[in-house]
Amino acid sequence: MGVLSVPAEVRAILLDIEGTTTPITFVQETLFPYIKDNVKEYIRAHWEEEECQRDVALLRKQAQEDSSLDGAVQIPLESGSGEEELERVIQAVVDNVHWQMSLDRKTTALKQLQGHMWRAAYATGHVKGEIFEDVVPAIRKWREAGMKVYIYSSGSIEAQKLLFGYSTEGDILELFDGHFDTKIGPKVESESYRRIAASIGCATNNILFLTDVPREANAAEEADTHVAVVIRPGNAGLTDDEKSYYSLISSFNELFLPSST
């Protein structure tokens, strides 16, 4: 690691979040535990609201699709026969959420509820998005040099905007030209990076993708996107082959932009 020269044709920098802009521990030790610890209270408090009912309906539909999976928790319909039955339905929602999270599932139903819970947590100050200290100064420099900067994360666009809108560095959403989540495609499939390039309005080789996950780096590279793998405290270790193959950085400050940009 050291200084990494950004190829002259690069016009946009695409950033992963977890393990790249934000410590993995923030997601594992703050965001996910918040959901587990507060889901029952949240569902109970918001039960009568339309948004919560939509979240529960989506979880119920997902549970039906998961019915053949070991340990899957079904969510019964509420027939309106009293407080005891309501409590039973709410507990089924809680158990379903805990089951999905224990398997690290990324279903739309789970992510939608998580996003709504995190929105409430950020807005009330219970949670602040953690950002590595080199991130904001580096992005400001890139933008001054004419670079566009985008986010691509498996977390929903809403969750991304909450993290950066209520961050330890304040509201830094203005630093980003756009956001992508897995609705554009999985991060481990090369076609996703072609779609992102088309959406941005450039060629794939006009993009530099920064991620901590070699499988994602490989998929981007297959699409002719430039990549660098980010080494941060707490990230999964790389094999010797990965270390020798990929361009590696441990800080955004190690990226050197050519004066032509």
Side-chain angles (χ1 to χ4, degrees):
M1 288 177 286
V3 173
L4 174 64
S5 290
V6 175
E9 69 261 31
V10 169
R11 294 289 175 268
I13 298 179
L14 184 64
L15 302 173
D16 169 50
I17 294 180
E18 188 180 345
T20 299
T21 66
T22 298
I24 278 180
T25 51
F26 171 69
V27 177
Q28 294 175 343
E29 297 175 11
T30 300
L31 286 186
F32 287 153
Y34 180 86
I35 300 295
K36 287 178 182 172
D37 294 344
N38 293 279
V39 63
K40 180 180 265 190
E41 182 185 341
Y42 176 88
I43 294 291
R44 193 182 278 137
H46 297 273
W47 183 259
E48 301 295 336
E49 296 169 18
E50 189 179 330
E51 181 179 83
C52 183
Q53 284 299 309
R54 285 198 303 268
D55 291 345
V56 170
L58 204 56
L59 285 165
R60 184 179 287 118
K61 183 171 179 285
Q62 183 65 51
Q64 289 166 350
E65 292 172 14
D66 293 340
S67 59
S68 62
L69 299 180
D70 189 37
V73 180
Q74 296 304 303
I75 301 170
L77 286 164
E78 188 195 3
S79 63
S81 61
E83 198 63 34
E84 194 176 315
E85 189 210 32
L86 173 60
E87 196 58 34
R88 196 161 54 247
V89 175
I90 289 174
Q91 188 59 52
V93 173
V94 172
D95 292 345
N96 178 278
V97 168
H98 285 178
W99 172 74
Q100 288 203 62
M101 290 182 71
S102 72
L103 298 177
D104 194 27
R105 303 197 67 208
K106 302 185 188 301
T107 63
T108 299
L110 178 62
K111 286 196 168 295
Q112 181 170 295
L113 174 66
Q114 288 173 331
H116 293 153
M117 286 186 64
W118 286 327
R119 181 183 63 200
Y122 282 115
T124 55
H126 285 104
V127 171
K128 279 189 182 297
E130 198 174 331
I131 311 290
F132 286 115
E133 62 182 18
D134 58 279
V135 169
V136 171
I139 294 177
R140 290 196 195 284
K141 264 191 218 169
W142 301 342
R143 291 179 63 85
E144 284 166 16
M147 285 286 176
K148 299 283 191 182
V149 182
Y150 298 87
I151 296 293
Y152 182 28
S153 172
S154 57
S156 69
I157 288 173
E158 182 180 24
Q160 297 172 28
K161 289 182 174 180
L162 288 168
L163 191 154
F164 294 115
Y166 296 91
S167 84
T168 49
E169 303 291 324
D171 181 350
I172 57 170
L173 282 171
E174 64 177 15
L175 297 181
F176 306 109
D177 294 282
H179 298 257
F180 299 96
D181 59 18
T182 51
K183 284 180 182 170
I184 201 130
K187 295 175 76 181
V188 294
E189 290 184 7
S190 57
E191 188 57 35
S192 304
Y193 300 89
R194 296 187 187 97
R195 290 190 194 112
I196 287 172
S199 175
I200 291 171
C202 67
T204 50
N205 72 346
N206 296 142
I207 298 172
L208 170 65
F209 178 46
L210 304 183
T211 178
D212 63 309
V213 181
R215 283 184 68 210
E216 296 174 3
N218 183 57
E221 203 175 47
E222 282 180 2
D224 200 27
T225 298
H226 296 283
V227 300
V229 173
V230 184
I231 311 295
R232 299 285 200 184
N235 287 4
L238 303 178
T239 66
D240 289 340
D241 284 348
E242 288 165 347
K243 286 177 187 171
S244 61
Y245 179 77
Y246 290 109
S247 298
L248 307 177
I249 60 170
S250 59
S251 163
F252 285 5
N253 297 328
E254 293 169 8
L255 285 185
F256 175 74
L257 302 186
S259 55
S260 60
T261 47

